[in-house]
Amino acid sequence: MFLAASKGGINTIIGGIAPNWEPFGDLGSEAKVMVEVVMATAILLCLAIAIWGAAKQRIGATALRDTFSAEQGKGLIIAGLTGVFIIGSLGTLFTIVYGMAV
């Protein structure tokens, strides 16, 4: 049996969203992993909010004919995707701010 996750580790999953550790080079490895896990959790939460908004918009617009629910769904989708973008770009922003300060 072939297991897809047998060769990867947690770094494979959270390595893509981890910030450049240049400004935080003095942090210990446990603190770095904790920051990466918090960022990954926040991204998953934002994606869940966007999915909930999509479901709320779909149900409100078609099944219940509730325009208020559909508008709430649009707001949740925008909020969730904006959160994903902001959290995903935090590493770049920290690096730019640190580079400008140096």
Side-chain angles (χ1 to χ4, degrees):
M1 181 201 289
F2 176 72
L3 296 176
S6 64
K7 295 180 183 177
I10 190 71
N11 193 31
T12 305
I13 298 169
I14 61 179
I17 61 167
N20 183 358
W21 293 112
E22 197 67 37
F24 307 105
D26 295 337
L27 288 176
S29 62
E30 291 86 7
K32 289 180 182 179
V33 170
M34 195 63 185
V35 169
E36 292 170 354
V37 168
V38 167
M39 288 177 72
T41 304
I43 285 179
L44 290 176
L45 181 66
C46 288
L47 286 175
I49 289 171
I51 291 170
W52 176 253
K56 194 168 191 173
Q57 183 183 20
R58 177 74 177 157
I59 291 170
T62 57
L64 301 176
R65 306 269 188 237
D66 182 11
T67 58
F68 180 71
S69 181
E71 290 300 320
Q72 274 185 328
K74 287 180 189 176
L76 287 173
I77 292 170
I78 292 170
L81 294 179
T82 303
V84 168
F85 174 75
I86 290 172
I87 293 168
S89 63
L90 277 178
T92 305
L93 293 174
F94 285 150
T95 305
I96 290 171
V97 170
Y98 176 75
M100 288 173 33
V102 171

